[in-house]
Amino acid sequence: KAVDYYLITNTCNRWTAKMLESGGVPMDTVFTLRAASVIRQVNDAKNEYLRLRTFTEGTEGRRVLADGLGGLP
């Protein structure tokens, strides 16, 4: 059973943005009428996160996070 309501300003895109925000992703949950807005904000957050991380050169010339948790594909 749904616990929220649907209006043109309260769509599944806003629900998704609110859930991402509750998980720590910086989201503007007011202006999320289109899926493209949610995806853009997620990509912006990812790029900012990666910009702030420290990378080192790994094996085979791949960039890896200095903390060993992975790297860019």
Side-chain angles (χ1 to χ4, degrees), residues 20-43:
L20 288 166
E21 182 181 53
S22 73
V25 178
M27 298 291 292
D28 177 0
T29 61
V30 176
F31 299 107
T32 53
L33 294 176
R34 299 179 57 221
S37 174
V38 176
I39 293 168
R40 179 187 48 78
Q41 291 184 73
V42 168
N43 284 332

Side-chain angles (χ1 to χ4, degrees), residues 22-23 25 43 45 47 53-54 56 60 62 65-67 73:
S22 73
V25 178
N43 284 332
N47 291 336
R53 297 301 302 226
T54 303
T56 60
E60 300 174 12
R62 293 187 66 207
L65 292 174
D67 57 14

Side-chain angles (χ1 to χ4, degrees), residues 49-69:
Y49 172 78
L50 291 175
R51 186 185 71 78
L52 296 173
R53 297 301 302 226
T54 303
F55 289 94
T56 60
E57 289 297 322
T59 60
E60 300 174 12
R62 293 187 66 207
R63 290 175 53 187
V64 295
L65 292 174
D67 57 14
L69 296 177

